Every structure is written in C-alpha cells, then in structure tokens.
Amino acid sequence: MTRPSIARPIRQALSRPLVRQPRHAIAPLVSARSQASVADPTSESQSGPPQLVNELPDPREEDEVRLPRAVQALYLQPLRREAPYGVPSCDLQLRSFSIPNLEFFCDFALRAAYYLNLPAFGPVPLPKITERWTVPRSHFIFKKSQENFERITRRRLIQIRDGHPETVQIWLAYLQKHAYYGIGMKANVWEFGKIGTGAQMDAETKSLQQIVEQKMEHFGRDKTLGTVEKVKELLASERFRHTK
C-alpha cells in the first residue's frame, strides 16, 4: 500500500533539474559580435532569463567558439621581420627523412625568430640527397639474389639577416633545446667586426706572446744542462771515486 506513495515523490524529484539557475543570471553570449553586457531591466519580471540588449544572434555562429589569439596564430602563416640592410648572419640547414616533421620544425624556427626580433627568410627547398645500397640476400651460390635499399634526405634552408651575433646564438640554442625528433641541424654563422681589426690584433700580439711563453715553460726539460765546472766537480767527488 505504501509503495505508490513512495515512488511518486522519487519520480517527481528525478524529473526536476538538480541545480536551478539563478533568477537574475545573465544568459551566456551566443554571438562573438554581441556588444551589450547589461541585461534589460524590463525583463526581470518574466519567468525566463533576462534578454541582452542589442544582442545579435546568428544561427551559424551559435556553435562556434572563439579561440584565443595565440591559438589562432597557429593556423596562420608565421609572422616575419623586415631586414633593413639584408646582410646575412646565419644559414640554418635542416635535414630529415620525413617531410611533415621537417615542415613542422621549419614553422617552429620561423616563429621563434620572429619573437626574437630576427628577420628570417625561407624555408628554401634544397636538392634532396639520394643514397642507394645493394646487399646480397644470402651468400655463396645465392649471390645473384640481391636487395636494394634507398634513403632520401630532404633539406630546407632558413637564413637570418641583420641579426646580432648574441641573438643568433640564443636562437640556435633555443632550437637545439627544443629539437624535434628526426631533424638534423647545421648552422653557418657570420660575425662582422669593426674596421681596424688588424691593428688591434698587432697590439694584442705582445700579450699573447707572453702567455705562450708561460705555457711553453712547462714543456721540455725543467733543469738546465751542466757546465764544464759541474762536470769537473762531479769527477772530483768522493762518490765518483768509490765507483771505480
């Protein structure tokens, strides 16, 4: 007899929402172009949630979520700096057997150069390197049965222009720290000095010569050779006489 009276409240409890929305809560924005953030005071008396003023609902944009700028930049081409003089500072050559990994790391290197204020150009495709080997499958009378292997190396070139040597070293160290698997790197770095480098090197020659002489003293014999007096003194000594 008590079963229907107990089951009825349970059904009513399950049919109701567990958490009710506050009466004065503002509805979420369904459009990225909505300009209003204040609810209409005339709609507070209604049972439903208040409507936003100047809301521009668009059915096509209801399910779209606006991504942050940093995430949106990943879907765009990397930004680049302009080189005022165009003097090359570094040539970075990337090598890999996989094209997707190579293109991914080239994109990463260009973005890192932009945030370090380095004008980067590329990636420029270089001629591929093809290597082939022929290996016998077996020995003795089965030498005619051979197998061929081929390995193709893809290459890309990224050039840094008008870059400070210290900044270029930071950029290369950052790429080496976050190196991607299957990617090889080779960098050619140029450093330009001031005018009059030869005169400066001549001025430093004397100090360098002193340093070299101090280092050379530790090589060879530490003691000087004996003179004639030392030889006579040795022959006249009692120790030498007892050895006869």
Side-chain angles (χ1 to χ4, degrees):
M1 299 297 293
T2 59
R3 184 175 180 180
S5 61
I6 296 176
R8 185 176 181 181
I10 293 177
R11 292 176 182 176
Q12 294 177 359
L14 294 177
S15 62
R16 297 176 181 177
L18 298 178
V19 180
R20 291 186 178 181
Q21 188 176 5
R23 183 177 181 183
H24 300 285
I26 300 177
L29 296 177
V30 296
S31 175
R33 297 179 299 173
S34 179
Q35 301 177 358
S37 59
V38 181
D40 188 1
T42 59
S43 61
E44 294 182 357
S45 59
Q46 301 176 1
S47 59
Q51 299 294 330
L52 296 178
V53 181
N54 298 333
E55 185 178 359
L56 302 176
D58 191 351
R60 297 173 299 179
E61 299 181 359
E62 289 183 357
D63 298 333
E64 295 182 1
V65 180
R66 181 186 179 278
L67 300 176
R69 295 295 184 184
V71 180
Q72 290 182 5
L74 299 177
Y75 297 91
L76 304 176
Q77 292 292 335
L79 301 177
R80 301 172 187 269
R81 305 283 183 179
E82 294 184 0
Y85 305 104
V87 180
S89 300
C90 175
D91 280 351
L92 177 64
Q93 185 180 137
L94 303 176
R95 298 185 179 187
S96 178
F97 306 129
S98 175
I99 296 179
N101 293 354
L102 186 61
E103 292 179 350
F104 172 79
F105 197 73
C106 288
D107 184 86
F108 175 77
L110 292 176
R111 295 178 189 275
Y114 172 78
Y115 288 108
L116 288 174
N117 200 15
L118 291 174
F121 296 85
V124 179
L126 298 178
K128 62 182 180 181
I129 301 176
T130 304
E131 299 171 284
R132 296 185 179 92
W133 297 272
T134 302
V135 181
R137 291 186 178 181
S138 183
H139 58 285
F140 199 47
I141 61 176
F142 306 102
K143 187 199 178 286
K144 292 184 178 180
S145 176
Q146 298 181 352
E147 189 172 3
N148 299 323
F149 295 91
E150 183 182 47
R151 184 174 66 182
I152 300 177
T153 305
R154 310 287 180 171
R155 298 185 296 170
R156 297 293 187 272
L157 178 65
I158 298 177
Q159 188 178 66
I160 301 296
R161 300 177 185 175
D162 299 344
H164 195 274
E166 295 182 359
T167 311
V168 172
Q169 293 296 334
I170 294 173
W171 179 63
L172 294 175
Y174 182 78
L175 296 181
Q176 187 176 4
K177 179 180 178 181
H178 301 278
Y180 201 63
Y181 69 93
I183 301 294
M185 293 182 288
K186 175 185 176 182
N188 296 327
V189 184
W190 292 278
E191 295 185 5
F192 300 91
K194 299 180 181 179
I195 299 177
T197 307
Q200 184 179 0
M201 294 177 62
D202 294 339
E204 296 177 356
T205 303
K206 296 182 179 180
S207 60
L208 294 176
Q209 187 176 0
Q210 295 178 359
I211 295 175
V212 172
E213 290 178 356
Q214 293 177 0
K215 297 293 183 180
M216 293 299 294
E217 290 179 355
H218 299 283
F219 294 95
R221 300 180 180 180
D222 296 337
K223 297 182 180 179
T224 57
L225 296 176
T227 57
V228 179
E229 289 77 8
K230 291 288 185 179
V231 174
K232 292 181 179 180
E233 183 179 357
L234 179 62
L235 294 175
S237 61
E238 296 180 359
R239 185 177 179 180
F240 182 77
R241 293 176 182 177
H242 290 294
T243 56
K244 293 181 180 181

